[in-house]
Every structure is written in C-alpha cells, then in structure tokens.
PDB file of all heavy atoms in Angstrom:
ATOM      1  N   THR U  24    -179.476  26.656  -5.745  1.00  0.00           N
ATOM      2  CA  THR U  24    -179.517  27.021  -7.204  1.00  0.00           C
ATOM      3  C   THR U  24    -180.952  27.143  -7.614  1.00  0.00           C
ATOM      4  O   THR U  24    -181.845  27.035  -6.745  1.00  0.00           O
ATOM      5  CB  THR U  24    -178.826  25.913  -8.025  1.00  0.00           C
ATOM      6  OG1 THR U  24    -178.675  26.370  -9.279  1.00  0.00           O
ATOM      7  CG2 THR U  24    -179.765  24.625  -8.034  1.00  0.00           C
ATOM      8  N   ASN U  25    -181.143  27.585  -8.839  1.00  0.00           N
ATOM      9  CA  ASN U  25    -182.584  27.706  -9.427  1.00  0.00           C
ATOM     10  C   ASN U  25    -182.492  27.254 -10.829  1.00  0.00           C
ATOM     11  O   ASN U  25    -181.505  26.992 -11.430  1.00  0.00           O
ATOM     12  CB  ASN U  25    -183.097  29.062  -9.117  1.00  0.00           C
ATOM     13  CG  ASN U  25    -182.389  30.145  -9.969  1.00  0.00           C
ATOM     14  OD1 ASN U  25    -181.375  29.964 -10.526  1.00  0.00           O
ATOM     15  ND2 ASN U  25    -182.941  31.340 -10.137  1.00  0.00           N
ATOM     16  N   THR U  26    -183.672  27.371 -11.370  1.00  0.00           N
ATOM     17  CA  THR U  26    -183.917  26.950 -12.836  1.00  0.00           C
ATOM     18  C   THR U  26    -183.929  28.249 -13.657  1.00  0.00           C
ATOM     19  O   THR U  26    -184.775  29.073 -13.443  1.00  0.00           O
ATOM     20  CB  THR U  26    -185.090  26.075 -13.124  1.00  0.00           C
ATOM     21  OG1 THR U  26    -184.918  24.932 -12.239  1.00  0.00           O
ATOM     22  CG2 THR U  26    -185.232  25.610 -14.603  1.00  0.00           C
ATOM     23  N   ARG U  27    -183.102  28.432 -14.524  1.00  0.00           N
ATOM     24  CA  ARG U  27    -183.113  29.582 -15.394  1.00  0.00           C
ATOM     25  C   ARG U  27    -183.788  29.215 -16.826  1.00  0.00           C
ATOM     26  O   ARG U  27    -183.507  28.182 -17.368  1.00  0.00           O
ATOM     27  CB  ARG U  27    -181.752  30.161 -15.564  1.00  0.00           C
ATOM     28  CG  ARG U  27    -181.092  30.756 -14.439  1.00  0.00           C
ATOM     29  CD  ARG U  27    -179.655  31.178 -14.683  1.00  0.00           C
ATOM     30  NE  ARG U  27    -179.157  31.949 -13.572  1.00  0.00           N
ATOM     31  CZ  ARG U  27    -177.835  32.474 -13.627  1.00  0.00           C
ATOM     32  NH1 ARG U  27    -177.031  32.168 -14.578  1.00  0.00           N
ATOM     33  NH2 ARG U  27    -177.466  33.160 -12.565  1.00  0.00           N
ATOM     34  N   PRO U  28    -184.392  30.240 -17.434  1.00  0.00           N
ATOM     35  CA  PRO U  28    -184.925  29.938 -18.756  1.00  0.00           C
ATOM     36  C   PRO U  28    -183.751  29.988 -19.717  1.00  0.00           C
ATOM     37  O   PRO U  28    -182.723  30.465 -19.535  1.00  0.00           O
ATOM     38  CB  PRO U  28    -185.755  31.255 -18.878  1.00  0.00           C
ATOM     39  CG  PRO U  28    -185.165  32.318 -18.092  1.00  0.00           C
ATOM     40  CD  PRO U  28    -184.693  31.615 -16.866  1.00  0.00           C
ATOM     41  N   ASP U  29    -184.106  29.369 -20.907  1.00  0.00           N
ATOM     42  CA  ASP U  29    -183.220  29.337 -22.113  1.00  0.00           C
ATOM     43  C   ASP U  29    -183.507  30.580 -22.817  1.00  0.00           C
ATOM     44  O   ASP U  29    -184.523  30.822 -23.417  1.00  0.00           O
ATOM     45  CB  ASP U  29    -183.591  28.135 -22.922  1.00  0.00           C
ATOM     46  CG  ASP U  29    -182.545  27.998 -24.087  1.00  0.00           C
ATOM     47  OD1 ASP U  29    -181.510  28.627 -24.029  1.00  0.00           O
ATOM     48  OD2 ASP U  29    -182.835  27.416 -25.112  1.00  0.00           O
ATOM     49  N   VAL U  30    -182.418  31.549 -22.924  1.00  0.00           N
ATOM     50  CA  VAL U  30    -182.687  32.743 -23.440  1.00  0.00           C
ATOM     51  C   VAL U  30    -181.835  32.817 -24.726  1.00  0.00           C
ATOM     52  O   VAL U  30    -180.684  32.591 -24.789  1.00  0.00           O
ATOM     53  CB  VAL U  30    -182.109  33.955 -22.581  1.00  0.00           C
ATOM     54  CG1 VAL U  30    -182.369  35.355 -23.101  1.00  0.00           C
ATOM     55  CG2 VAL U  30    -182.851  33.849 -21.164  1.00  0.00           C
ATOM     56  N   GLN U  31    -182.516  33.360 -25.805  1.00  0.00           N
ATOM     57  CA  GLN U  31    -181.903  33.501 -27.145  1.00  0.00           C
ATOM     58  C   GLN U  31    -181.545  34.973 -27.219  1.00  0.00           C
ATOM     59  O   GLN U  31    -182.214  35.928 -26.864  1.00  0.00           O
ATOM     60  CB  GLN U  31    -182.899  33.215 -28.156  1.00  0.00           C
ATOM     61  CG  GLN U  31    -183.267  31.783 -28.288  1.00  0.00           C
ATOM     62  CD  GLN U  31    -182.172  30.800 -28.409  1.00  0.00           C
ATOM     63  OE1 GLN U  31    -181.168  31.005 -29.192  1.00  0.00           O
ATOM     64  NE2 GLN U  31    -182.175  29.693 -27.535  1.00  0.00           N
ATOM     65  N   PRO U  32    -180.266  35.249 -27.734  1.00  0.00           N
ATOM     66  CA  PRO U  32    -179.728  36.651 -27.801  1.00  0.00           C
ATOM     67  C   PRO U  32    -180.403  37.401 -28.905  1.00  0.00           C
ATOM     68  O   PRO U  32    -179.800  38.060 -29.790  1.00  0.00           O
ATOM     69  CB  PRO U  32    -178.249  36.458 -28.084  1.00  0.00           C
ATOM     70  CG  PRO U  32    -178.257  35.119 -28.841  1.00  0.00           C
ATOM     71  CD  PRO U  32    -179.268  34.304 -28.255  1.00  0.00           C
ATOM     72  N   ASP U  33    -181.710  37.560 -28.769  1.00  0.00           N
ATOM     73  CA  ASP U  33    -182.526  38.397 -29.704  1.00  0.00           C
ATOM     74  C   ASP U  33    -182.981  39.801 -29.024  1.00  0.00           C
ATOM     75  O   ASP U  33    -183.768  39.785 -28.182  1.00  0.00           O
ATOM     76  CB  ASP U  33    -183.726  37.640 -30.133  1.00  0.00           C
ATOM     77  CG  ASP U  33    -183.354  36.310 -30.829  1.00  0.00           C
ATOM     78  OD1 ASP U  33    -182.420  36.291 -31.476  1.00  0.00           O
ATOM     79  OD2 ASP U  33    -184.209  35.410 -30.686  1.00  0.00           O
ATOM     80  N   GLY U  34    -182.414  40.853 -29.448  1.00  0.00           N
ATOM     81  CA  GLY U  34    -182.656  42.185 -28.914  1.00  0.00           C
ATOM     82  C   GLY U  34    -181.767  42.544 -27.695  1.00  0.00           C
ATOM     83  O   GLY U  34    -181.200  41.591 -27.145  1.00  0.00           O
ATOM     84  N   ILE U  35    -181.698  43.771 -27.395  1.00  0.00           N
ATOM     85  CA  ILE U  35    -180.856  44.312 -26.396  1.00  0.00           C
ATOM     86  C   ILE U  35    -181.023  43.707 -25.018  1.00  0.00           C
ATOM     87  O   ILE U  35    -180.162  43.299 -24.286  1.00  0.00           O
ATOM     88  CB  ILE U  35    -180.912  45.729 -26.329  1.00  0.00           C
ATOM     89  CG1 ILE U  35    -179.844  46.308 -25.298  1.00  0.00           C
ATOM     90  CG2 ILE U  35    -182.364  46.157 -25.977  1.00  0.00           C
ATOM     91  CD1 ILE U  35    -178.360  46.073 -25.673  1.00  0.00           C
ATOM     92  N   TRP U  36    -182.282  43.496 -24.614  1.00  0.00           N
ATOM     93  CA  TRP U  36    -182.634  42.928 -23.230  1.00  0.00           C
ATOM     94  C   TRP U  36    -182.150  41.493 -23.107  1.00  0.00           C
ATOM     95  O   TRP U  36    -181.656  41.139 -22.107  1.00  0.00           O
ATOM     96  CB  TRP U  36    -184.116  43.180 -22.975  1.00  0.00           C
ATOM     97  CG  TRP U  36    -184.653  44.575 -22.997  1.00  0.00           C
ATOM     98  CD1 TRP U  36    -185.619  45.007 -23.774  1.00  0.00           C
ATOM     99  CD2 TRP U  36    -184.041  45.685 -22.320  1.00  0.00           C
ATOM    100  NE1 TRP U  36    -185.723  46.442 -23.660  1.00  0.00           N
ATOM    101  CE2 TRP U  36    -184.900  46.818 -22.679  1.00  0.00           C
ATOM    102  CE3 TRP U  36    -182.987  45.835 -21.363  1.00  0.00           C
ATOM    103  CZ2 TRP U  36    -184.588  48.123 -22.258  1.00  0.00           C
ATOM    104  CZ3 TRP U  36    -182.808  47.181 -20.855  1.00  0.00           C
ATOM    105  CH2 TRP U  36    -183.580  48.303 -21.361  1.00  0.00           C
ATOM    106  N   ASN U  37    -182.570  40.640 -24.172  1.00  0.00           N
ATOM    107  CA  ASN U  37    -182.135  39.365 -24.127  1.00  0.00           C
ATOM    108  C   ASN U  37    -180.586  39.201 -24.143  1.00  0.00           C
ATOM    109  O   ASN U  37    -179.979  38.321 -23.469  1.00  0.00           O
ATOM    110  CB  ASN U  37    -182.718  38.580 -25.276  1.00  0.00           C
ATOM    111  CG  ASN U  37    -184.174  38.171 -24.945  1.00  0.00           C
ATOM    112  OD1 ASN U  37    -184.732  38.709 -24.002  1.00  0.00           O
ATOM    113  ND2 ASN U  37    -184.674  37.314 -25.731  1.00  0.00           N
ATOM    114  N   GLN U  38    -179.957  40.148 -24.880  1.00  0.00           N
ATOM    115  CA  GLN U  38    -178.430  40.029 -24.859  1.00  0.00           C
ATOM    116  C   GLN U  38    -177.853  40.340 -23.542  1.00  0.00           C
ATOM    117  O   GLN U  38    -176.840  39.680 -23.143  1.00  0.00           O
ATOM    118  CB  GLN U  38    -177.954  41.031 -25.945  1.00  0.00           C
ATOM    119  CG  GLN U  38    -178.308  40.528 -27.469  1.00  0.00           C
ATOM    120  CD  GLN U  38    -177.848  41.696 -28.385  1.00  0.00           C
ATOM    121  OE1 GLN U  38    -177.233  42.657 -28.139  1.00  0.00           O
ATOM    122  NE2 GLN U  38    -178.262  41.441 -29.715  1.00  0.00           N
ATOM    123  N   LEU U  39    -178.582  41.380 -22.853  1.00  0.00           N
ATOM    124  CA  LEU U  39    -177.941  41.623 -21.517  1.00  0.00           C
ATOM    125  C   LEU U  39    -178.204  40.448 -20.539  1.00  0.00           C
ATOM    126  O   LEU U  39    -177.387  40.235 -19.688  1.00  0.00           O
ATOM    127  CB  LEU U  39    -178.765  42.861 -20.955  1.00  0.00           C
ATOM    128  CG  LEU U  39    -178.213  44.270 -21.596  1.00  0.00           C
ATOM    129  CD1 LEU U  39    -179.178  45.338 -21.147  1.00  0.00           C
ATOM    130  CD2 LEU U  39    -176.824  44.519 -21.219  1.00  0.00           C
ATOM    131  N   MET U  40    -179.414  39.670 -20.776  1.00  0.00           N
ATOM    132  CA  MET U  40    -179.694  38.635 -19.915  1.00  0.00           C
ATOM    133  C   MET U  40    -178.612  37.579 -20.115  1.00  0.00           C
ATOM    134  O   MET U  40    -178.259  36.791 -19.177  1.00  0.00           O
ATOM    135  CB  MET U  40    -181.070  38.129 -20.075  1.00  0.00           C
ATOM    136  CG  MET U  40    -182.160  38.973 -19.552  1.00  0.00           C
ATOM    137  SD  MET U  40    -181.996  39.253 -17.667  1.00  0.00           S
ATOM    138  CE  MET U  40    -181.732  37.571 -17.160  1.00  0.00           C
ATOM    139  N   VAL U  41    -178.293  37.315 -21.435  1.00  0.00           N
ATOM    140  CA  VAL U  41    -177.313  36.245 -21.775  1.00  0.00           C
ATOM    141  C   VAL U  41    -175.962  36.603 -21.248  1.00  0.00           C
ATOM    142  O   VAL U  41    -175.355  35.793 -20.592  1.00  0.00           O
ATOM    143  CB  VAL U  41    -177.218  36.052 -23.297  1.00  0.00           C
ATOM    144  CG1 VAL U  41    -175.988  35.271 -23.653  1.00  0.00           C
ATOM    145  CG2 VAL U  41    -178.445  35.554 -23.932  1.00  0.00           C
ATOM    146  N   PHE U  42    -175.616  37.884 -21.233  1.00  0.00           N
ATOM    147  CA  PHE U  42    -174.474  38.385 -20.539  1.00  0.00           C
ATOM    148  C   PHE U  42    -174.430  38.142 -19.030  1.00  0.00           C
ATOM    149  O   PHE U  42    -173.468  37.641 -18.487  1.00  0.00           O
ATOM    150  CB  PHE U  42    -174.192  39.813 -20.820  1.00  0.00           C
ATOM    151  CG  PHE U  42    -173.225  40.423 -19.976  1.00  0.00           C
ATOM    152  CD1 PHE U  42    -171.794  40.236 -20.007  1.00  0.00           C
ATOM    153  CD2 PHE U  42    -173.552  41.294 -18.818  1.00  0.00           C
ATOM    154  CE1 PHE U  42    -170.924  40.819 -19.248  1.00  0.00           C
ATOM    155  CE2 PHE U  42    -172.593  41.912 -17.976  1.00  0.00           C
ATOM    156  CZ  PHE U  42    -171.185  41.622 -18.235  1.00  0.00           C
ATOM    157  N   LEU U  43    -175.617  38.405 -18.360  1.00  0.00           N
ATOM    158  CA  LEU U  43    -175.686  38.363 -17.018  1.00  0.00           C
ATOM    159  C   LEU U  43    -175.618  36.880 -16.596  1.00  0.00           C
ATOM    160  O   LEU U  43    -174.879  36.434 -15.588  1.00  0.00           O
ATOM    161  CB  LEU U  43    -177.021  38.876 -16.559  1.00  0.00           C
ATOM    162  CG  LEU U  43    -177.382  38.650 -14.968  1.00  0.00           C
ATOM    163  CD1 LEU U  43    -176.306  39.315 -14.086  1.00  0.00           C
ATOM    164  CD2 LEU U  43    -178.848  39.243 -14.657  1.00  0.00           C
ATOM    165  N   TYR U  44    -176.345  36.046 -17.306  1.00  0.00           N
ATOM    166  CA  TYR U  44    -176.298  34.592 -16.924  1.00  0.00           C
ATOM    167  C   TYR U  44    -174.867  33.917 -17.185  1.00  0.00           C
ATOM    168  O   TYR U  44    -174.408  33.025 -16.331  1.00  0.00           O
ATOM    169  CB  TYR U  44    -177.300  33.824 -17.816  1.00  0.00           C
ATOM    170  CG  TYR U  44    -178.717  33.916 -17.347  1.00  0.00           C
ATOM    171  CD1 TYR U  44    -179.712  33.353 -18.173  1.00  0.00           C
ATOM    172  CD2 TYR U  44    -179.050  34.586 -16.183  1.00  0.00           C
ATOM    173  CE1 TYR U  44    -181.114  33.553 -17.783  1.00  0.00           C
ATOM    174  CE2 TYR U  44    -180.389  34.834 -15.799  1.00  0.00           C
ATOM    175  CZ  TYR U  44    -181.297  34.203 -16.544  1.00  0.00           C
ATOM    176  OH  TYR U  44    -182.693  34.272 -16.237  1.00  0.00           O
ATOM    177  N   SER U  45    -174.211  34.371 -18.133  1.00  0.00           N
ATOM    178  CA  SER U  45    -172.776  33.965 -18.368  1.00  0.00           C
ATOM    179  C   SER U  45    -171.787  34.443 -17.328  1.00  0.00           C
ATOM    180  O   SER U  45    -170.836  33.683 -17.002  1.00  0.00           O
ATOM    181  CB  SER U  45    -172.299  34.273 -19.819  1.00  0.00           C
ATOM    182  OG  SER U  45    -172.176  35.835 -19.853  1.00  0.00           O
ATOM    183  N   ALA U  46    -172.022  35.647 -16.840  1.00  0.00           N
ATOM    184  CA  ALA U  46    -171.144  36.190 -15.880  1.00  0.00           C
ATOM    185  C   ALA U  46    -171.400  35.747 -14.392  1.00  0.00           C
ATOM    186  O   ALA U  46    -170.552  35.866 -13.627  1.00  0.00           O
ATOM    187  CB  ALA U  46    -171.171  37.714 -15.921  1.00  0.00           C
ATOM    188  N   ASP U  47    -172.622  35.322 -14.177  1.00  0.00           N
ATOM    189  CA  ASP U  47    -173.039  35.025 -12.835  1.00  0.00           C
ATOM    190  C   ASP U  47    -173.780  33.749 -12.706  1.00  0.00           C
ATOM    191  O   ASP U  47    -174.909  33.713 -13.143  1.00  0.00           O
ATOM    192  CB  ASP U  47    -174.051  36.216 -12.299  1.00  0.00           C
ATOM    193  CG  ASP U  47    -174.204  36.148 -10.801  1.00  0.00           C
ATOM    194  OD1 ASP U  47    -173.528  35.345 -10.123  1.00  0.00           O
ATOM    195  OD2 ASP U  47    -175.135  36.768 -10.289  1.00  0.00           O
ATOM    196  N   ALA U  48    -173.131  32.720 -12.254  1.00  0.00           N
ATOM    197  CA  ALA U  48    -173.652  31.423 -12.207  1.00  0.00           C
ATOM    198  C   ALA U  48    -174.788  31.304 -11.171  1.00  0.00           C
ATOM    199  O   ALA U  48    -174.975  32.165 -10.386  1.00  0.00           O
ATOM    200  CB  ALA U  48    -172.532  30.393 -11.714  1.00  0.00           C
ATOM    201  N   ALA U  49    -175.567  30.183 -11.445  1.00  0.00           N
ATOM    202  CA  ALA U  49    -176.927  30.131 -10.516  1.00  0.00           C
ATOM    203  C   ALA U  49    -176.478  29.437  -9.229  1.00  0.00           C
ATOM    204  O   ALA U  49    -176.878  28.275  -8.925  1.00  0.00           O
ATOM    205  CB  ALA U  49    -177.857  29.260 -11.369  1.00  0.00           C
ATOM    206  N   ASP U  50    -175.778  30.157  -8.438  1.00  0.00           N
ATOM    207  CA  ASP U  50    -175.353  29.693  -7.177  1.00  0.00           C
ATOM    208  C   ASP U  50    -175.243  30.851  -6.238  1.00  0.00           C
ATOM    209  O   ASP U  50    -175.425  32.029  -6.620  1.00  0.00           O
ATOM    210  CB  ASP U  50    -174.102  28.898  -7.092  1.00  0.00           C
ATOM    211  CG  ASP U  50    -172.872  29.663  -7.779  1.00  0.00           C
ATOM    212  OD1 ASP U  50    -173.021  30.975  -7.851  1.00  0.00           O
ATOM    213  OD2 ASP U  50    -171.867  28.983  -8.102  1.00  0.00           O
ATOM    214  N   ASN U  51    -174.985  30.696  -4.972  1.00  0.00           N
ATOM    215  CA  ASN U  51    -174.874  31.808  -3.908  1.00  0.00           C
ATOM    216  C   ASN U  51    -176.083  32.574  -3.921  1.00  0.00           C
ATOM    217  O   ASN U  51    -176.144  33.807  -3.918  1.00  0.00           O
ATOM    218  CB  ASN U  51    -173.665  32.648  -4.276  1.00  0.00           C
ATOM    219  CG  ASN U  51    -172.405  32.026  -3.854  1.00  0.00           C
ATOM    220  OD1 ASN U  51    -172.334  30.909  -3.274  1.00  0.00           O
ATOM    221  ND2 ASN U  51    -171.356  32.699  -4.160  1.00  0.00           N
ATOM    222  N   LEU U  52    -177.299  31.854  -3.906  1.00  0.00           N
ATOM    223  CA  LEU U  52    -178.614  32.541  -4.025  1.00  0.00           C
ATOM    224  C   LEU U  52    -179.229  32.900  -2.728  1.00  0.00           C
ATOM    225  O   LEU U  52    -179.978  33.860  -2.689  1.00  0.00           O
ATOM    226  CB  LEU U  52    -179.627  31.553  -4.904  1.00  0.00           C
ATOM    227  CG  LEU U  52    -178.984  31.291  -6.324  1.00  0.00           C
ATOM    228  CD1 LEU U  52    -180.131  30.524  -7.021  1.00  0.00           C
ATOM    229  CD2 LEU U  52    -178.560  32.379  -7.076  1.00  0.00           C
ATOM    230  N   PHE U  53    -179.253  31.958  -1.704  1.00  0.00           N
ATOM    231  CA  PHE U  53    -179.791  32.288  -0.465  1.00  0.00           C
ATOM    232  C   PHE U  53    -178.894  32.518   0.601  1.00  0.00           C
ATOM    233  O   PHE U  53    -177.997  31.765   0.975  1.00  0.00           O
ATOM    234  CB  PHE U  53    -180.755  31.119  -0.062  1.00  0.00           C
ATOM    235  CG  PHE U  53    -181.399  31.347   1.277  1.00  0.00           C
ATOM    236  CD1 PHE U  53    -182.616  32.103   1.353  1.00  0.00           C
ATOM    237  CD2 PHE U  53    -180.869  30.831   2.495  1.00  0.00           C
ATOM    238  CE1 PHE U  53    -183.183  32.316   2.656  1.00  0.00           C
ATOM    239  CE2 PHE U  53    -181.481  31.068   3.719  1.00  0.00           C
ATOM    240  CZ  PHE U  53    -182.661  31.770   3.679  1.00  0.00           C
ATOM    241  N   PRO U  54    -178.962  33.703   1.203  1.00  0.00           N
ATOM    242  CA  PRO U  54    -179.862  34.772   0.982  1.00  0.00           C
ATOM    243  C   PRO U  54    -179.229  35.702  -0.256  1.00  0.00           C
ATOM    244  O   PRO U  54    -178.174  35.643  -0.507  1.00  0.00           O
ATOM    245  CB  PRO U  54    -179.826  35.602   2.264  1.00  0.00           C
ATOM    246  CG  PRO U  54    -178.583  35.318   2.824  1.00  0.00           C
ATOM    247  CD  PRO U  54    -178.149  33.973   2.474  1.00  0.00           C
ATOM    248  N   SER U  55    -180.220  36.411  -0.811  1.00  0.00           N
ATOM    249  CA  SER U  55    -179.758  37.287  -1.978  1.00  0.00           C
ATOM    250  C   SER U  55    -178.926  38.484  -1.463  1.00  0.00           C
ATOM    251  O   SER U  55    -179.389  39.336  -0.802  1.00  0.00           O
ATOM    252  CB  SER U  55    -181.070  37.807  -2.737  1.00  0.00           C
ATOM    253  OG  SER U  55    -180.578  38.771  -3.574  1.00  0.00           O
ATOM    254  N   ILE U  56    -177.587  38.592  -1.904  1.00  0.00           N
ATOM    255  CA  ILE U  56    -176.808  39.640  -1.555  1.00  0.00           C
ATOM    256  C   ILE U  56    -177.434  40.942  -2.271  1.00  0.00           C
ATOM    257  O   ILE U  56    -177.259  42.047  -1.682  1.00  0.00           O
ATOM    258  CB  ILE U  56    -175.395  39.453  -1.867  1.00  0.00           C
ATOM    259  CG1 ILE U  56    -174.706  38.526  -0.915  1.00  0.00           C
ATOM    260  CG2 ILE U  56    -174.621  40.834  -2.021  1.00  0.00           C
ATOM    261  CD1 ILE U  56    -173.208  38.303  -1.068  1.00  0.00           C
ATOM    262  N   HIS U  57    -177.952  40.784  -3.506  1.00  0.00           N
ATOM    263  CA  HIS U  57    -178.608  41.992  -4.165  1.00  0.00           C
ATOM    264  C   HIS U  57    -179.566  42.616  -3.268  1.00  0.00           C
ATOM    265  O   HIS U  57    -179.691  43.752  -3.184  1.00  0.00           O
ATOM    266  CB  HIS U  57    -179.139  41.463  -5.519  1.00  0.00           C
ATOM    267  CG  HIS U  57    -178.385  42.000  -6.742  1.00  0.00           C
ATOM    268  ND1 HIS U  57    -177.135  41.649  -7.048  1.00  0.00           N
ATOM    269  CD2 HIS U  57    -178.675  42.937  -7.661  1.00  0.00           C
ATOM    270  CE1 HIS U  57    -176.694  42.289  -8.123  1.00  0.00           C
ATOM    271  NE2 HIS U  57    -177.746  43.015  -8.546  1.00  0.00           N
ATOM    272  N   CYS U  58    -180.505  41.768  -2.688  1.00  0.00           N
ATOM    273  CA  CYS U  58    -181.604  42.265  -1.973  1.00  0.00           C
ATOM    274  C   CYS U  58    -181.008  42.694  -0.535  1.00  0.00           C
ATOM    275  O   CYS U  58    -181.472  43.772  -0.018  1.00  0.00           O
ATOM    276  CB  CYS U  58    -182.684  41.232  -1.737  1.00  0.00           C
ATOM    277  SG  CYS U  58    -183.412  40.595  -3.232  1.00  0.00           S
ATOM    278  N   LEU U  59    -180.061  41.998  -0.066  1.00  0.00           N
ATOM    279  CA  LEU U  59    -179.429  42.324   1.234  1.00  0.00           C
ATOM    280  C   LEU U  59    -178.880  43.798   1.075  1.00  0.00           C
ATOM    281  O   LEU U  59    -179.194  44.747   2.029  1.00  0.00           O
ATOM    282  CB  LEU U  59    -178.400  41.365   1.660  1.00  0.00           C
ATOM    283  CG  LEU U  59    -177.383  41.741   2.830  1.00  0.00           C
ATOM    284  CD1 LEU U  59    -178.212  41.672   4.064  1.00  0.00           C
ATOM    285  CD2 LEU U  59    -176.224  40.722   2.771  1.00  0.00           C
ATOM    286  N   VAL U  60    -178.043  44.000   0.135  1.00  0.00           N
ATOM    287  CA  VAL U  60    -177.330  45.275   0.163  1.00  0.00           C
ATOM    288  C   VAL U  60    -178.357  46.390  -0.314  1.00  0.00           C
ATOM    289  O   VAL U  60    -178.179  47.531   0.243  1.00  0.00           O
ATOM    290  CB  VAL U  60    -176.233  45.224  -0.979  1.00  0.00           C
ATOM    291  CG1 VAL U  60    -175.525  46.548  -1.156  1.00  0.00           C
ATOM    292  CG2 VAL U  60    -175.201  44.219  -0.655  1.00  0.00           C
ATOM    293  N   SER U  61    -179.301  46.134  -1.114  1.00  0.00           N
ATOM    294  CA  SER U  61    -180.293  47.130  -1.490  1.00  0.00           C
ATOM    295  C   SER U  61    -181.113  47.577  -0.353  1.00  0.00           C
ATOM    296  O   SER U  61    -181.377  48.637  -0.105  1.00  0.00           O
ATOM    297  CB  SER U  61    -181.116  46.524  -2.613  1.00  0.00           C
ATOM    298  OG  SER U  61    -180.398  46.498  -3.793  1.00  0.00           O
ATOM    299  N   TRP U  62    -181.474  46.512   0.524  1.00  0.00           N
ATOM    300  CA  TRP U  62    -182.277  46.893   1.691  1.00  0.00           C
ATOM    301  C   TRP U  62    -181.420  47.588   2.723  1.00  0.00           C
ATOM    302  O   TRP U  62    -181.898  48.573   3.332  1.00  0.00           O
ATOM    303  CB  TRP U  62    -182.915  45.638   2.224  1.00  0.00           C
ATOM    304  CG  TRP U  62    -184.193  45.879   3.154  1.00  0.00           C
ATOM    305  CD1 TRP U  62    -184.212  45.770   4.496  1.00  0.00           C
ATOM    306  CD2 TRP U  62    -185.383  46.386   2.731  1.00  0.00           C
ATOM    307  NE1 TRP U  62    -185.480  46.210   4.972  1.00  0.00           N
ATOM    308  CE2 TRP U  62    -186.298  46.664   3.784  1.00  0.00           C
ATOM    309  CE3 TRP U  62    -185.849  46.800   1.477  1.00  0.00           C
ATOM    310  CZ2 TRP U  62    -187.498  47.057   3.753  1.00  0.00           C
ATOM    311  CZ3 TRP U  62    -187.182  47.326   1.394  1.00  0.00           C
ATOM    312  CH2 TRP U  62    -187.966  47.441   2.535  1.00  0.00           C
ATOM    313  N   PHE U  63    -180.071  47.223   2.864  1.00  0.00           N
ATOM    314  CA  PHE U  63    -179.264  48.038   3.717  1.00  0.00           C
ATOM    315  C   PHE U  63    -179.254  49.455   3.273  1.00  0.00           C
ATOM    316  O   PHE U  63    -179.171  50.437   4.046  1.00  0.00           O
ATOM    317  CB  PHE U  63    -177.841  47.427   3.578  1.00  0.00           C
ATOM    318  CG  PHE U  63    -177.437  46.517   4.790  1.00  0.00           C
ATOM    319  CD1 PHE U  63    -176.728  45.366   4.521  1.00  0.00           C
ATOM    320  CD2 PHE U  63    -177.896  46.776   6.048  1.00  0.00           C
ATOM    321  CE1 PHE U  63    -176.410  44.432   5.582  1.00  0.00           C
ATOM    322  CE2 PHE U  63    -177.618  45.840   7.036  1.00  0.00           C
ATOM    323  CZ  PHE U  63    -176.820  44.744   6.808  1.00  0.00           C
ATOM    324  N   CYS U  64    -179.265  49.723   1.915  1.00  0.00           N
ATOM    325  CA  CYS U  64    -179.117  51.076   1.394  1.00  0.00           C
ATOM    326  C   CYS U  64    -180.354  51.929   1.816  1.00  0.00           C
ATOM    327  O   CYS U  64    -180.207  53.088   1.984  1.00  0.00           O
ATOM    328  CB  CYS U  64    -179.109  51.062  -0.167  1.00  0.00           C
ATOM    329  SG  CYS U  64    -177.494  50.585  -0.748  1.00  0.00           S
TER     330      CYS U  64
END
C-alpha cells in the first residue's frame, strides 16, 4: 500500500482524483499493472 494525500473536490482535476481514489483502493501496487501493460504496449 502507500500513503495518499487528502484531496478536496475543488476543480475538475481534484474531482477526478477523488473519483479515482474512491474507485481504486491503495492496494495491488507492486508491481504496477499500469506500468506493466503500458511498457508491454
């Protein structure tokens, strides 16, 4: 796991971050599938 910042839903970018954090828990981090698949691409 890791430590995530406390994000207030102010502005579109922060709102997207709040959505991301709520949809994707802070687990299954190592190794990063995002980086794995992108490098495979």
